[in-house]
Coordinates of all heavy atoms in Angstrom, one line a residue:
Chain A
T422 N 43.9 -44.5 -147.3 CA 43.6 -45.1 -146.0 C 44.8 -45.1 -145.1 O 44.8 -44.8 -143.9 CB 43.1 -46.5 -146.2 OG1 42.0 -46.5 -147.2 CG2 42.5 -47.1 -144.9
I423 N 46.0 -45.5 -145.7 CA 47.2 -45.6 -144.9 C 47.6 -44.2 -144.4 O 47.9 -44.0 -143.2 CB 48.3 -46.3 -145.7 CG1 48.0 -47.7 -145.9 CG2 49.6 -46.1 -145.0 CD1 48.9 -48.5 -146.8
V424 N 47.5 -43.2 -145.3 CA 47.9 -41.9 -144.9 C 47.0 -41.4 -143.7 O 47.4 -40.9 -142.7 CB 47.8 -40.9 -146.1 CG1 48.0 -39.4 -145.6 CG2 48.9 -41.2 -147.1
A425 N 45.7 -41.5 -143.9 CA 44.7 -40.9 -143.0 C 44.8 -41.7 -141.6 O 44.8 -41.1 -140.6 CB 43.3 -41.0 -143.5
M426 N 45.0 -43.0 -141.7 CA 45.0 -43.8 -140.5 C 46.3 -43.6 -139.7 O 46.4 -43.6 -138.5 CB 44.7 -45.2 -140.7 CG 43.2 -45.4 -140.9 SD 42.7 -47.1 -141.1 CE 43.3 -47.8 -139.6
T427 N 47.4 -43.4 -140.5 CA 48.7 -43.2 -139.8 C 48.6 -41.9 -139.0 O 49.0 -41.8 -137.9 CB 49.8 -43.1 -140.9 OG1 49.9 -44.3 -141.6 CG2 51.1 -42.8 -140.2
H428 N 48.0 -40.9 -139.6 CA 47.8 -39.6 -139.0 C 47.0 -39.7 -137.7 O 47.3 -39.2 -136.6 CB 47.2 -38.6 -139.9 CG 46.8 -37.3 -139.3 ND1 45.5 -36.8 -139.3 CD2 47.5 -36.5 -138.5 CE1 45.5 -35.7 -138.7 NE2 46.7 -35.4 -138.1
I429 N 45.9 -40.5 -137.8 CA 45.0 -40.6 -136.7 C 45.6 -41.4 -135.6 O 45.4 -41.2 -134.4 CB 43.7 -41.2 -137.2 CG1 42.9 -40.1 -138.0 CG2 42.8 -41.8 -136.1 CD1 41.8 -40.7 -138.9
L430 N 46.4 -42.4 -135.9 CA 46.9 -43.3 -134.9 C 48.3 -42.9 -134.4 O 48.8 -43.5 -133.4 CB 46.9 -44.8 -135.4 CG 45.5 -45.4 -135.7 CD1 45.7 -46.7 -136.4 CD2 44.7 -45.5 -134.4
L431 N 48.8 -41.9 -135.0 CA 50.2 -41.5 -134.6 C 50.4 -41.2 -133.1 O 51.4 -41.7 -132.5 CB 50.6 -40.3 -135.4 CG 52.1 -40.0 -135.6 CD1 52.8 -41.3 -136.0 CD2 52.4 -38.9 -136.5
P432 N 49.5 -40.5 -132.4 CA 49.7 -40.2 -131.0 C 49.8 -41.5 -130.2 O 50.5 -41.6 -129.2 CB 48.4 -39.5 -130.6 CG 47.9 -38.9 -131.9 CD 48.3 -39.8 -133.0
F433 N 49.1 -42.6 -130.6 CA 49.2 -43.8 -129.9 C 50.6 -44.5 -130.0 O 50.9 -45.3 -129.2 CB 48.1 -44.9 -130.4 CG 46.7 -44.4 -130.1 CD1 46.0 -43.8 -131.1 CD2 46.2 -44.6 -128.9 CE1 44.7 -43.4 -130.8 CE2 44.9 -44.2 -128.6 CZ 44.1 -43.6 -129.6
M434 N 51.3 -44.1 -130.9 CA 52.7 -44.5 -131.1 C 53.7 -43.6 -130.3 O 54.5 -44.0 -129.6 CB 53.1 -44.6 -132.5 CG 54.5 -45.1 -132.8 SD 54.8 -46.7 -132.2 CE 54.1 -47.7 -133.6
I435 N 53.4 -42.3 -130.5 CA 54.3 -41.3 -129.9 C 54.3 -41.3 -128.3 O 55.3 -41.3 -127.7 CB 54.0 -39.9 -130.4 CG1 54.3 -39.8 -131.9 CG2 54.8 -38.8 -129.6 CD1 53.9 -38.5 -132.5
L436 N 53.1 -41.4 -127.8 CA 53.0 -41.3 -126.3 C 53.7 -42.4 -125.6 O 54.6 -42.1 -124.7 CB 51.5 -41.2 -125.9 CG 50.9 -39.9 -126.4 CD1 49.4 -39.9 -126.0 CD2 51.6 -38.7 -125.8
P437 N 53.5 -43.7 -125.9 CA 54.3 -44.7 -125.2 C 55.8 -44.6 -125.5 O 56.7 -44.7 -124.6 CB 53.8 -46.0 -125.7 CG 52.8 -45.8 -126.8 CD 52.5 -44.3 -126.8
L438 N 56.2 -44.2 -126.7 CA 57.6 -44.1 -127.0 C 58.2 -43.0 -126.2 O 59.3 -43.1 -125.6 CB 57.7 -43.7 -128.5 CG 58.0 -44.8 -129.5 CD1 58.0 -44.2 -130.9 CD2 59.3 -45.5 -129.2
Y439 N 57.5 -41.9 -126.1 CA 58.0 -40.7 -125.4 C 58.2 -41.1 -123.9 O 59.2 -40.7 -123.3 CB 56.9 -39.6 -125.5 CG 57.1 -38.4 -124.5 CD1 58.3 -37.6 -124.6 CD2 56.1 -38.1 -123.6 CE1 58.4 -36.6 -123.7 CE2 56.3 -37.1 -122.7 CZ 57.4 -36.3 -122.8 OH 57.6 -35.2 -121.9
S440 N 57.2 -41.7 -123.3 CA 57.4 -42.0 -121.9 C 58.5 -43.0 -121.6 O 59.2 -42.9 -120.6 CB 56.1 -42.5 -121.2 OG 55.6 -43.6 -121.9
V441 N 58.8 -43.9 -122.6 CA 59.9 -44.8 -122.4 C 61.2 -44.1 -122.6 O 62.2 -44.2 -121.8 CB 59.8 -46.0 -123.4 CG1 61.1 -46.8 -123.5 CG2 58.7 -46.9 -123.0
M442 N 61.3 -43.2 -123.6 CA 62.5 -42.5 -123.9 C 62.9 -41.5 -122.8 O 64.0 -41.3 -122.5 CB 62.4 -41.7 -125.2 CG 62.4 -42.5 -126.4 SD 62.2 -41.5 -127.9 CE 62.3 -42.7 -129.2
Q443 N 61.8 -41.0 -122.1 CA 62.1 -40.1 -121.0 C 62.9 -40.8 -119.9 O 63.6 -40.2 -119.1 CB 60.8 -39.6 -120.4 CG 60.5 -38.2 -120.9 CD 59.4 -37.6 -120.0 OE1 58.5 -38.3 -119.5 NE2 59.5 -36.3 -119.9
G444 N 62.6 -42.1 -119.8 CA 63.3 -42.9 -118.7 C 64.7 -43.3 -119.1 O 65.4 -44.0 -118.3
I445 N 65.2 -43.0 -120.3 CA 66.5 -43.4 -120.7 C 67.5 -42.3 -120.3 O 67.4 -41.2 -120.8 CB 66.6 -43.7 -122.2 CG1 65.6 -44.7 -122.6 CG2 68.0 -44.1 -122.6 CD1 65.5 -44.9 -124.1
P446 N 68.4 -42.5 -119.4 CA 69.3 -41.4 -118.9 C 70.2 -40.9 -120.1 O 70.8 -41.8 -120.7 CB 70.1 -42.0 -117.8 CG 69.4 -43.3 -117.5 CD 68.7 -43.7 -118.7
P447 N 70.2 -39.6 -120.3 CA 71.1 -39.1 -121.4 C 72.6 -39.4 -121.2 O 73.3 -39.4 -122.1 CB 70.8 -37.6 -121.4 CG 69.9 -37.3 -120.2 CD 69.5 -38.6 -119.6
S448 N 72.9 -39.7 -119.9 CA 74.3 -39.9 -119.6 C 74.8 -41.2 -120.3 O 76.0 -41.3 -120.6 CB 74.5 -40.1 -118.1 OG 73.6 -41.0 -117.6
Y449 N 73.9 -42.1 -120.6 CA 74.3 -43.4 -121.3 C 74.9 -43.0 -122.7 O 75.9 -43.6 -123.1 CB 73.1 -44.3 -121.5 CG 72.7 -45.0 -120.3 CD1 73.1 -44.6 -119.0 CD2 71.8 -46.1 -120.3 CE1 72.7 -45.3 -117.9 CE2 71.4 -46.8 -119.2 CZ 71.8 -46.4 -117.9 OH 71.4 -47.0 -116.8
L450 N 74.2 -42.1 -123.4 CA 74.7 -41.8 -124.7 C 76.1 -41.1 -124.6 O 77.0 -41.3 -125.4 CB 73.7 -40.8 -125.4 CG 72.6 -41.5 -126.3 CD1 71.8 -40.4 -127.0 CD2 73.3 -42.4 -127.3
R451 N 76.1 -40.2 -123.7 CA 77.4 -39.4 -123.5 C 78.5 -40.4 -123.1 O 79.6 -40.3 -123.6 CB 77.2 -38.4 -122.4 CG 76.4 -37.2 -122.8 CD 76.6 -35.9 -122.0 NE 76.2 -36.1 -120.6 CZ 75.0 -35.8 -120.2 NH1 74.1 -35.4 -121.0 NH2 74.7 -36.0 -118.9
A452 N 78.2 -41.4 -122.3 CA 79.2 -42.3 -121.9 C 79.7 -43.1 -123.1 O 80.9 -43.3 -123.3 CB 78.6 -43.3 -120.8
A453 N 78.7 -43.5 -123.9 CA 79.1 -44.3 -125.1 C 80.0 -43.5 -126.0 O 81.0 -44.0 -126.5 CB 77.8 -44.7 -125.9
K454 N 79.7 -42.2 -126.2 CA 80.5 -41.3 -127.1 C 81.9 -41.1 -126.5 O 82.9 -41.2 -127.2 CB 79.8 -40.0 -127.3 CG 78.7 -40.1 -128.3 CD 78.1 -38.7 -128.6 CE 76.7 -38.8 -129.1 NZ 76.0 -37.5 -129.0
S455 N 81.9 -40.9 -125.2 CA 83.2 -40.7 -124.5 C 84.1 -41.9 -124.6 O 85.3 -41.9 -124.5 CB 83.0 -40.2 -123.1 OG 82.7 -41.4 -122.3
L456 N 83.4 -43.1 -124.8 CA 84.2 -44.3 -125.0 C 84.6 -44.6 -126.4 O 85.1 -45.6 -126.8 CB 83.4 -45.5 -124.4 CG 83.3 -45.5 -122.9 CD1 82.3 -46.6 -122.5 CD2 84.7 -45.7 -122.2
G457 N 84.2 -43.6 -127.3 CA 84.7 -43.6 -128.7 C 83.7 -44.1 -129.7 O 84.0 -44.3 -130.8

Side-chain angles (χ1 to χ4, degrees):
Chain A
T422 308
I423 290 175
V424 169
M426 281 183 62
T427 302
H428 172 234
I429 285 161
L430 294 174
L431 201 52
F433 293 98
M434 180 63 80
I435 294 177
L436 294 178
L438 266 177
Y439 166 63
S440 57
V441 167
M442 285 178 179
Q443 259 196 329
I445 304 173
S448 51
Y449 285 13
L450 268 185
R451 288 203 293 274
K454 279 188 209 164
S455 74
L456 290 171

